[in-house]
Amino acid sequence: LINRAKLLIKRHFDDKGFKNAEVEIVEKVIDGNKDQVNVDVVIDKKEKVKVNQITIDGNTILSDKKLKRVMKKTNEKNNILELFNQKKFVETDYEDDLNRIIEKYNEYGYRDAKIVADSVVQFDEKTVDVYITIDEGKKYYIKDINWVGNTLYSSQELSNVLGILPGEVYNQKLLNERLSEDDDAVSNYYMNKGYL
């Protein structure tokens, strides 16, 4: 129970950017009652841990600068251009930022891009260094688009609404937006054309 409590408290402070927080739980026997104890939880938050440097390997298509800009919550502490962005290191935010890197590659047609290695290493008491290795994979293009099961609209009309042509770079984000996030795309297209 004590170990679990320590783990939960430590995780709470990790999420707040206090990666070096120390938690100590002290049990004190109550005089005259051997079945009960007082529990003191002593927490030394220390200072928030910040990111000293981010090193990215394996990227040739997207520059370090562009990839670091994609990382919304994991920023180097001395980057003057990111003055108002979060500088503390939070594990969950870092995981989200790794996903953002892959999403950015997907926008450029690199649908096989993946993070092959990443590590967070203590630089000093207050900062960590982040190392990321990327396998960009190969670039994909749209070869052809075929519509199946369309009874209300012709294939040409659906292709016009989709707005993606054969030969274009395969952009996963754009495709998702056009197919699922833009629910009223077909209706809006026909309203603008004066058909509805």
Side-chain angles (χ1 to χ4, degrees):
L1 188 63
I2 287 174
N3 287 339
R4 178 155 172 71
K6 273 186 178 179
L7 183 69
L8 291 173
I9 293 167
K10 182 82 172 86
R11 191 176 298 158
H12 170 78
F13 283 99
D14 278 356
D15 289 346
K16 302 287 184 196
F18 296 97
K19 198 165 180 60
N20 292 330
E22 292 178 0
V23 180
E24 184 182 357
I25 297 180
V26 181
E27 295 179 59
K28 294 179 183 173
V29 177
I30 298 173
D31 289 339
N33 192 342
K34 61 181 179 183
D35 294 336
Q36 294 181 346
V37 293
N38 282 332
V39 177
D40 291 337
V41 179
V42 181
I43 301 167
D44 182 359
K45 291 191 306 187
K46 302 205 179 284
E47 288 193 40
K48 287 186 178 181
V49 172
K50 297 182 178 180
V51 178
N52 176 56
Q53 185 175 359
I54 300 171
T55 304
I56 304 173
D57 266 334
N59 56 316
T60 56
I61 303 306
L62 299 178
S63 68
D64 286 4
K65 186 177 178 181
K66 182 169 263 188
L67 291 175
K68 287 177 185 180
R69 212 173 310 129
V70 168
M71 299 174 79
K72 302 286 183 204
K73 301 281 187 170
T74 310
N75 298 288
E76 295 169 325
K77 68 174 184 155
N78 293 326
N79 187 346
I80 195 73
L81 298 175
E82 305 288 343
L83 185 62
F84 298 107
N85 288 357
Q86 171 178 300
K87 300 294 188 280
K88 64 185 178 184
F89 180 81
V90 177
E91 189 73 36
T92 53
D93 292 340
Y94 171 62
E95 294 298 327
D96 291 342
D97 282 338
L98 292 179
N99 289 331
R100 284 187 187 96
I101 288 174
I102 299 305
E103 287 169 5
K104 182 53 77 176
Y105 270 103
N106 291 167
E107 286 180 42
Y108 284 84
Y110 293 86
R111 56 186 294 245
D112 294 335
K114 60 186 171 191
I115 307 290
V116 292
D118 73 287
S119 58
V120 179
V121 179
Q122 196 80 28
F123 177 72
D124 59 27
E125 228 176 78
K126 300 176 184 176
T127 60
V128 293
D129 284 336
V130 175
Y131 297 92
I132 301 168
T133 305
I134 298 169
D135 178 0
E136 294 176 321
K138 66 178 186 174
K139 191 170 189 174
Y140 286 81
Y141 295 86
I142 304 284
K143 181 178 180 183
D144 201 6
I145 300 171
N146 295 309
W147 298 94
V148 178
N150 46 316
T151 57
L152 292 175
Y153 307 105
S154 71
S155 293
Q156 184 58 49
E157 290 169 320
L158 291 172
S159 291
N160 289 342
V161 172
L162 183 63
I164 298 174
L165 300 172
E168 289 186 4
V169 170
Y170 180 86
N171 182 334
Q172 184 69 51
K173 181 180 178 185
L174 180 62
L175 188 61
N176 287 343
E177 285 174 1
R178 299 277 171 86
L179 290 176
S180 59
E181 294 174 15
D182 199 0
D183 293 335
D184 296 326
V186 174
S187 300
N188 290 338
Y189 175 78
Y190 283 101
M191 281 174 124
N192 291 337
K193 293 286 186 186
Y195 297 133
L196 294 177

